[in-house]
Short mmCIF file of all heavy atoms in Angstrom, two decimals:
data_model
loop_
_atom_site.label_atom_id
_atom_site.label_comp_id
_atom_site.label_asym_id
_atom_site.label_seq_id
_atom_site.Cartn_x
_atom_site.Cartn_y
_atom_site.Cartn_z
N THR A 21 -10.77 13.56 13.12
CA THR A 21 -10.21 14.42 12.10
C THR A 21 -11.33 15.06 11.29
O THR A 21 -12.20 14.37 10.81
CB THR A 21 -9.29 13.62 11.16
OG1 THR A 21 -8.30 12.98 11.94
CG2 THR A 21 -8.64 14.50 10.13
N THR A 22 -11.28 16.36 11.17
CA THR A 22 -12.27 17.07 10.37
C THR A 22 -11.63 17.46 9.05
O THR A 22 -10.41 17.37 8.88
CB THR A 22 -12.76 18.35 11.09
OG1 THR A 22 -11.66 19.25 11.21
CG2 THR A 22 -13.33 18.01 12.46
N LEU A 23 -12.46 17.91 8.11
CA LEU A 23 -11.93 18.35 6.83
C LEU A 23 -10.96 19.51 7.01
O LEU A 23 -10.02 19.66 6.26
CB LEU A 23 -13.07 18.76 5.89
CG LEU A 23 -13.85 17.61 5.27
CD1 LEU A 23 -14.97 18.16 4.40
CD2 LEU A 23 -12.97 16.70 4.47
N GLN A 24 -11.20 20.34 8.03
CA GLN A 24 -10.31 21.47 8.27
C GLN A 24 -8.95 20.99 8.75
O GLN A 24 -7.95 21.64 8.53
CB GLN A 24 -10.94 22.41 9.28
CG GLN A 24 -12.20 23.06 8.75
CD GLN A 24 -13.11 23.56 9.85
OE1 GLN A 24 -12.99 23.16 11.00
NE2 GLN A 24 -14.03 24.43 9.50
N ASP A 25 -8.88 19.84 9.43
CA ASP A 25 -7.62 19.29 9.91
C ASP A 25 -6.85 18.58 8.79
O ASP A 25 -5.63 18.42 8.89
CB ASP A 25 -7.85 18.28 11.03
CG ASP A 25 -8.47 18.91 12.26
OD1 ASP A 25 -8.26 20.12 12.48
OD2 ASP A 25 -9.18 18.18 12.97
N THR A 26 -7.54 18.13 7.76
CA THR A 26 -6.92 17.38 6.68
C THR A 26 -6.14 18.34 5.78
O THR A 26 -6.70 19.32 5.30
CB THR A 26 -7.99 16.65 5.84
OG1 THR A 26 -8.77 15.85 6.72
CG2 THR A 26 -7.35 15.78 4.79
N PRO A 27 -4.85 18.04 5.54
CA PRO A 27 -4.08 18.94 4.68
C PRO A 27 -4.58 18.89 3.24
O PRO A 27 -5.11 17.88 2.80
CB PRO A 27 -2.66 18.38 4.78
CG PRO A 27 -2.81 16.97 5.21
CD PRO A 27 -4.08 16.90 6.01
N SER A 28 -4.43 20.00 2.55
CA SER A 28 -4.76 20.05 1.12
C SER A 28 -3.53 19.64 0.34
O SER A 28 -2.43 20.09 0.62
CB SER A 28 -5.19 21.45 0.71
OG SER A 28 -6.41 21.77 1.31
N LEU A 29 -3.73 18.78 -0.63
CA LEU A 29 -2.63 18.31 -1.46
C LEU A 29 -2.80 18.81 -2.88
O LEU A 29 -3.92 18.92 -3.38
CB LEU A 29 -2.59 16.77 -1.49
CG LEU A 29 -2.42 16.05 -0.16
CD1 LEU A 29 -2.53 14.55 -0.36
CD2 LEU A 29 -1.09 16.40 0.48
N ASP A 30 -1.67 19.08 -3.54
CA ASP A 30 -1.75 19.39 -4.96
C ASP A 30 -1.57 18.08 -5.74
O ASP A 30 -1.37 17.02 -5.14
CB ASP A 30 -0.72 20.45 -5.36
CG ASP A 30 0.73 20.03 -5.14
OD1 ASP A 30 1.03 18.81 -5.11
OD2 ASP A 30 1.59 20.93 -5.00
N CYS A 31 -1.63 18.15 -7.05
CA CYS A 31 -1.56 16.94 -7.87
C CYS A 31 -0.23 16.21 -7.70
O CYS A 31 -0.20 14.98 -7.60
CB CYS A 31 -1.79 17.29 -9.33
SG CYS A 31 -3.48 17.82 -9.69
N GLU A 32 0.86 16.94 -7.69
CA GLU A 32 2.18 16.31 -7.56
C GLU A 32 2.30 15.56 -6.24
O GLU A 32 2.76 14.41 -6.20
CB GLU A 32 3.28 17.36 -7.67
CG GLU A 32 4.67 16.78 -7.62
CD GLU A 32 5.76 17.84 -7.75
OE1 GLU A 32 5.49 18.91 -8.31
OE2 GLU A 32 6.87 17.57 -7.28
N GLN A 33 1.87 16.17 -5.15
CA GLN A 33 1.91 15.50 -3.85
C GLN A 33 1.03 14.25 -3.84
O GLN A 33 1.41 13.21 -3.31
CB GLN A 33 1.46 16.46 -2.75
CG GLN A 33 2.38 17.63 -2.52
CD GLN A 33 1.73 18.69 -1.66
OE1 GLN A 33 0.56 19.03 -1.84
NE2 GLN A 33 2.49 19.23 -0.71
N THR A 34 -0.13 14.37 -4.43
CA THR A 34 -1.08 13.25 -4.47
C THR A 34 -0.51 12.08 -5.25
O THR A 34 -0.55 10.94 -4.78
CB THR A 34 -2.42 13.70 -5.07
OG1 THR A 34 -2.95 14.76 -4.25
CG2 THR A 34 -3.41 12.56 -5.14
N VAL A 35 0.04 12.34 -6.42
CA VAL A 35 0.59 11.28 -7.25
C VAL A 35 1.75 10.59 -6.54
O VAL A 35 1.88 9.36 -6.59
CB VAL A 35 1.02 11.83 -8.64
CG1 VAL A 35 1.84 10.82 -9.41
CG2 VAL A 35 -0.22 12.24 -9.43
N ARG A 36 2.58 11.37 -5.82
CA ARG A 36 3.69 10.75 -5.07
C ARG A 36 3.19 9.82 -3.98
O ARG A 36 3.87 8.87 -3.62
CB ARG A 36 4.56 11.83 -4.44
CG ARG A 36 5.63 12.36 -5.35
CD ARG A 36 6.69 13.11 -4.57
NE ARG A 36 6.13 14.01 -3.60
CZ ARG A 36 6.20 15.33 -3.65
NH1 ARG A 36 6.84 15.92 -4.63
NH2 ARG A 36 5.66 16.07 -2.73
N LEU A 37 2.00 10.06 -3.45
CA LEU A 37 1.47 9.25 -2.35
C LEU A 37 0.57 8.10 -2.81
O LEU A 37 0.13 7.30 -1.98
CB LEU A 37 0.66 10.15 -1.40
CG LEU A 37 1.46 11.19 -0.62
CD1 LEU A 37 0.51 12.13 0.12
CD2 LEU A 37 2.41 10.53 0.34
N LEU A 38 0.31 8.00 -4.11
CA LEU A 38 -0.69 7.03 -4.58
C LEU A 38 -0.36 5.57 -4.26
O LEU A 38 -1.25 4.82 -3.87
CB LEU A 38 -0.92 7.18 -6.09
CG LEU A 38 -1.88 8.28 -6.49
CD1 LEU A 38 -1.98 8.36 -8.01
CD2 LEU A 38 -3.24 8.09 -5.87
N TRP A 39 0.90 5.14 -4.42
CA TRP A 39 1.21 3.74 -4.14
C TRP A 39 0.94 3.42 -2.68
O TRP A 39 0.32 2.40 -2.36
CB TRP A 39 2.66 3.41 -4.49
CG TRP A 39 2.93 3.41 -5.97
CD1 TRP A 39 3.72 4.29 -6.65
CD2 TRP A 39 2.41 2.51 -6.95
NE1 TRP A 39 3.72 3.98 -7.99
CE2 TRP A 39 2.92 2.89 -8.20
CE3 TRP A 39 1.55 1.41 -6.90
CZ2 TRP A 39 2.62 2.21 -9.38
CZ3 TRP A 39 1.25 0.73 -8.07
CH2 TRP A 39 1.79 1.14 -9.31
N ASP A 40 1.40 4.29 -1.79
CA ASP A 40 1.15 4.06 -0.36
C ASP A 40 -0.33 4.18 -0.03
O ASP A 40 -0.84 3.48 0.83
CB ASP A 40 1.97 5.03 0.49
CG ASP A 40 3.45 4.71 0.45
OD1 ASP A 40 3.81 3.54 0.23
OD2 ASP A 40 4.27 5.65 0.64
N TYR A 41 -1.03 5.05 -0.73
CA TYR A 41 -2.47 5.20 -0.54
C TYR A 41 -3.18 3.90 -0.91
O TYR A 41 -4.01 3.39 -0.16
CB TYR A 41 -2.98 6.36 -1.39
CG TYR A 41 -4.48 6.49 -1.45
CD1 TYR A 41 -5.19 7.11 -0.43
CD2 TYR A 41 -5.20 6.01 -2.55
CE1 TYR A 41 -6.57 7.25 -0.49
CE2 TYR A 41 -6.57 6.14 -2.62
CZ TYR A 41 -7.25 6.77 -1.59
OH TYR A 41 -8.62 6.89 -1.64
N LEU A 42 -2.84 3.36 -2.07
CA LEU A 42 -3.47 2.12 -2.52
C LEU A 42 -3.13 0.94 -1.63
O LEU A 42 -3.94 0.02 -1.47
CB LEU A 42 -3.08 1.83 -3.97
CG LEU A 42 -3.71 2.77 -4.99
CD1 LEU A 42 -3.01 2.66 -6.34
CD2 LEU A 42 -5.20 2.49 -5.13
N ASP A 43 -1.95 0.96 -1.03
CA ASP A 43 -1.54 -0.10 -0.10
C ASP A 43 -2.03 0.16 1.32
O ASP A 43 -1.78 -0.64 2.21
CB ASP A 43 -0.01 -0.23 -0.08
CG ASP A 43 0.54 -0.82 -1.36
OD1 ASP A 43 -0.22 -1.51 -2.07
OD2 ASP A 43 1.73 -0.60 -1.65
N ARG A 44 -2.71 1.28 1.52
CA ARG A 44 -3.19 1.67 2.85
C ARG A 44 -2.04 1.76 3.85
O ARG A 44 -2.14 1.33 4.99
CB ARG A 44 -4.27 0.71 3.36
CG ARG A 44 -5.54 0.74 2.55
CD ARG A 44 -6.04 2.13 2.55
NE ARG A 44 -7.45 2.27 2.27
CZ ARG A 44 -7.95 3.34 1.69
NH1 ARG A 44 -7.18 4.32 1.32
NH2 ARG A 44 -9.23 3.44 1.48
N GLN A 45 -0.93 2.36 3.41
CA GLN A 45 0.26 2.50 4.23
C GLN A 45 0.50 3.93 4.68
O GLN A 45 1.60 4.27 5.10
CB GLN A 45 1.49 1.99 3.46
CG GLN A 45 1.42 0.53 3.11
CD GLN A 45 1.37 -0.35 4.35
OE1 GLN A 45 2.15 -0.18 5.27
NE2 GLN A 45 0.42 -1.27 4.38
N LEU A 46 -0.52 4.76 4.61
CA LEU A 46 -0.40 6.15 5.03
C LEU A 46 -1.14 6.36 6.34
O LEU A 46 -2.11 5.66 6.63
CB LEU A 46 -1.01 7.09 3.97
CG LEU A 46 -0.35 7.14 2.62
CD1 LEU A 46 -1.19 7.98 1.65
CD2 LEU A 46 1.05 7.72 2.73
N PRO A 47 -0.72 7.35 7.13
CA PRO A 47 -1.52 7.72 8.30
C PRO A 47 -2.91 8.15 7.84
O PRO A 47 -3.09 8.63 6.72
CB PRO A 47 -0.75 8.90 8.91
CG PRO A 47 0.61 8.87 8.30
CD PRO A 47 0.48 8.16 6.98
N SER A 48 -3.89 8.00 8.71
CA SER A 48 -5.28 8.27 8.31
C SER A 48 -5.48 9.70 7.80
O SER A 48 -6.25 9.92 6.87
CB SER A 48 -6.24 7.98 9.46
OG SER A 48 -5.97 8.80 10.56
N ILE A 49 -4.77 10.66 8.35
CA ILE A 49 -4.94 12.04 7.88
C ILE A 49 -4.46 12.17 6.44
O ILE A 49 -5.07 12.89 5.64
CB ILE A 49 -4.25 13.05 8.82
CG1 ILE A 49 -4.72 14.46 8.49
CG2 ILE A 49 -2.74 12.93 8.76
CD1 ILE A 49 -4.42 15.47 9.56
N ASP A 50 -3.39 11.46 6.08
CA ASP A 50 -2.91 11.50 4.69
C ASP A 50 -3.82 10.70 3.77
O ASP A 50 -4.04 11.09 2.62
CB ASP A 50 -1.47 10.98 4.60
CG ASP A 50 -0.48 11.92 5.28
OD1 ASP A 50 -0.76 13.13 5.36
OD2 ASP A 50 0.57 11.43 5.73
N LEU A 51 -4.35 9.58 4.25
CA LEU A 51 -5.33 8.83 3.45
C LEU A 51 -6.52 9.72 3.13
O LEU A 51 -6.99 9.75 1.99
CB LEU A 51 -5.81 7.59 4.21
CG LEU A 51 -4.85 6.41 4.30
CD1 LEU A 51 -5.39 5.38 5.28
CD2 LEU A 51 -4.64 5.79 2.93
N ASP A 52 -6.99 10.45 4.14
CA ASP A 52 -8.12 11.36 3.94
C ASP A 52 -7.78 12.47 2.95
O ASP A 52 -8.60 12.84 2.11
CB ASP A 52 -8.56 11.98 5.27
CG ASP A 52 -9.16 10.97 6.22
OD1 ASP A 52 -9.54 9.87 5.77
OD2 ASP A 52 -9.23 11.28 7.43
N ALA A 53 -6.55 13.00 3.04
CA ALA A 53 -6.15 14.09 2.14
C ALA A 53 -6.07 13.60 0.70
O ALA A 53 -6.55 14.29 -0.21
CB ALA A 53 -4.81 14.66 2.59
N VAL A 54 -5.50 12.43 0.48
CA VAL A 54 -5.42 11.88 -0.88
C VAL A 54 -6.82 11.57 -1.39
O VAL A 54 -7.17 11.91 -2.52
CB VAL A 54 -4.52 10.62 -0.93
CG1 VAL A 54 -4.61 9.95 -2.29
CG2 VAL A 54 -3.08 10.96 -0.59
N ASP A 55 -7.63 10.97 -0.55
CA ASP A 55 -9.01 10.66 -0.92
C ASP A 55 -9.76 11.91 -1.33
O ASP A 55 -10.44 11.94 -2.36
CB ASP A 55 -9.70 9.96 0.25
CG ASP A 55 -10.95 9.23 -0.15
OD1 ASP A 55 -10.97 8.64 -1.24
OD2 ASP A 55 -11.90 9.24 0.64
N ARG A 56 -9.63 12.95 -0.54
CA ARG A 56 -10.33 14.21 -0.84
C ARG A 56 -9.83 14.80 -2.16
O ARG A 56 -10.63 15.25 -3.00
CB ARG A 56 -10.13 15.21 0.30
CG ARG A 56 -11.03 16.43 0.14
CD ARG A 56 -11.01 17.28 1.36
NE ARG A 56 -9.96 18.27 1.19
CZ ARG A 56 -9.43 18.97 2.17
NH1 ARG A 56 -9.81 18.79 3.40
NH2 ARG A 56 -8.50 19.85 1.94
N HIS A 57 -8.52 14.78 -2.38
CA HIS A 57 -7.98 15.33 -3.62
C HIS A 57 -8.47 14.52 -4.83
O HIS A 57 -8.86 15.11 -5.85
CB HIS A 57 -6.45 15.35 -3.60
CG HIS A 57 -5.87 15.95 -4.84
ND1 HIS A 57 -5.67 17.31 -4.98
CD2 HIS A 57 -5.49 15.38 -6.01
CE1 HIS A 57 -5.18 17.54 -6.19
NE2 HIS A 57 -5.06 16.38 -6.83
N LEU A 58 -8.47 13.20 -4.71
CA LEU A 58 -8.92 12.36 -5.83
C LEU A 58 -10.38 12.61 -6.18
O LEU A 58 -10.75 12.56 -7.35
CB LEU A 58 -8.69 10.88 -5.51
CG LEU A 58 -7.24 10.42 -5.49
CD1 LEU A 58 -7.15 8.99 -4.99
CD2 LEU A 58 -6.59 10.57 -6.87
N HIS A 59 -11.20 12.87 -5.17
CA HIS A 59 -12.61 13.15 -5.45
C HIS A 59 -12.81 14.53 -6.08
O HIS A 59 -13.77 14.74 -6.81
CB HIS A 59 -13.43 13.05 -4.16
CG HIS A 59 -13.72 11.64 -3.79
ND1 HIS A 59 -12.89 10.90 -2.98
CD2 HIS A 59 -14.72 10.80 -4.16
CE1 HIS A 59 -13.38 9.69 -2.83
NE2 HIS A 59 -14.48 9.59 -3.54
N GLN A 60 -11.88 15.44 -5.81
CA GLN A 60 -12.01 16.80 -6.36
C GLN A 60 -11.29 16.97 -7.69
O GLN A 60 -11.71 17.78 -8.51
CB GLN A 60 -11.44 17.82 -5.36
CG GLN A 60 -12.24 17.92 -4.09
CD GLN A 60 -11.56 18.80 -3.05
OE1 GLN A 60 -10.41 19.19 -3.18
NE2 GLN A 60 -12.30 19.12 -2.00
N CYS A 61 -10.22 16.23 -7.91
CA CYS A 61 -9.38 16.41 -9.10
C CYS A 61 -9.67 15.33 -10.13
O CYS A 61 -9.30 14.18 -9.94
CB CYS A 61 -7.90 16.37 -8.72
SG CYS A 61 -6.79 16.53 -10.13
N LYS A 62 -10.29 15.69 -11.18
CA LYS A 62 -10.57 14.74 -12.26
C LYS A 62 -9.64 14.95 -13.45
O LYS A 62 -9.54 14.10 -14.32
CB LYS A 62 -12.02 14.87 -12.73
CG LYS A 62 -13.05 14.71 -11.64
CD LYS A 62 -13.04 13.32 -11.08
CE LYS A 62 -14.11 13.17 -10.02
NZ LYS A 62 -13.94 12.06 -9.15
N ALA A 63 -8.93 16.06 -13.48
CA ALA A 63 -8.12 16.41 -14.64
C ALA A 63 -6.87 15.55 -14.78
O ALA A 63 -6.61 14.98 -15.83
CB ALA A 63 -7.72 17.88 -14.57
N ASN A 64 -6.10 15.41 -13.73
CA ASN A 64 -4.79 14.79 -13.82
C ASN A 64 -4.69 13.52 -12.99
O ASN A 64 -4.18 12.51 -13.46
CB ASN A 64 -3.73 15.81 -13.36
CG ASN A 64 -2.32 15.29 -13.51
OD1 ASN A 64 -2.01 14.61 -14.46
ND2 ASN A 64 -1.48 15.62 -12.56
N CYS A 65 -5.16 13.56 -11.80
CA CYS A 65 -4.89 12.49 -10.84
C CYS A 65 -5.72 11.23 -11.08
O CYS A 65 -5.28 10.13 -10.73
CB CYS A 65 -5.10 13.00 -9.43
SG CYS A 65 -3.93 14.31 -9.03
N ALA A 66 -6.87 11.36 -11.66
CA ALA A 66 -7.73 10.19 -11.88
C ALA A 66 -7.04 9.16 -12.76
O ALA A 66 -7.09 7.97 -12.48
CB ALA A 66 -9.06 10.61 -12.48
N SER A 67 -6.34 9.60 -13.81
CA SER A 67 -5.67 8.65 -14.70
C SER A 67 -4.50 7.96 -13.99
O SER A 67 -4.28 6.76 -14.18
CB SER A 67 -5.19 9.34 -15.97
OG SER A 67 -4.23 10.34 -15.66
N HIS A 68 -3.77 8.69 -13.17
CA HIS A 68 -2.69 8.08 -12.39
C HIS A 68 -3.25 7.04 -11.42
O HIS A 68 -2.72 5.93 -11.30
CB HIS A 68 -1.93 9.13 -11.58
CG HIS A 68 -1.06 10.01 -12.40
ND1 HIS A 68 0.17 9.61 -12.88
CD2 HIS A 68 -1.24 11.29 -12.82
CE1 HIS A 68 0.70 10.61 -13.56
NE2 HIS A 68 -0.12 11.62 -13.55
N PHE A 69 -4.32 7.41 -10.74
CA PHE A 69 -4.94 6.50 -9.78
C PHE A 69 -5.44 5.23 -10.47
O PHE A 69 -5.18 4.13 -10.01
CB PHE A 69 -6.09 7.21 -9.06
CG PHE A 69 -6.88 6.29 -8.18
CD1 PHE A 69 -6.39 5.89 -6.95
CD2 PHE A 69 -8.13 5.83 -8.58
CE1 PHE A 69 -7.12 5.04 -6.13
CE2 PHE A 69 -8.86 4.98 -7.78
CZ PHE A 69 -8.36 4.58 -6.55
#
Side-chain angles (χ1 to χ4, degrees):
T21 304
T22 65
L23 285 178
Q24 294 158 342
D25 297 332
T26 305
S28 293
L29 300 175
D30 62 24
C31 291
E32 183 179 336
Q33 293 167 317
T34 300
V35 169
R36 274 197 315 248
L37 293 172
L38 278 178
W39 290 113
D40 290 333
Y41 171 81
L42 288 166
D43 289 337
R44 294 303 202 209
Q45 297 298 312
L46 295 173
S48 62
I49 193 164
D50 292 333
L51 285 170
D52 293 342
V54 172
D55 197 38
R56 190 170 91 197
H57 182 86
L58 290 172
H59 282 90
Q60 293 172 350
C61 178
K62 303 295 182 198
N64 184 38
C65 297
S67 63
H68 287 282
F69 173 76

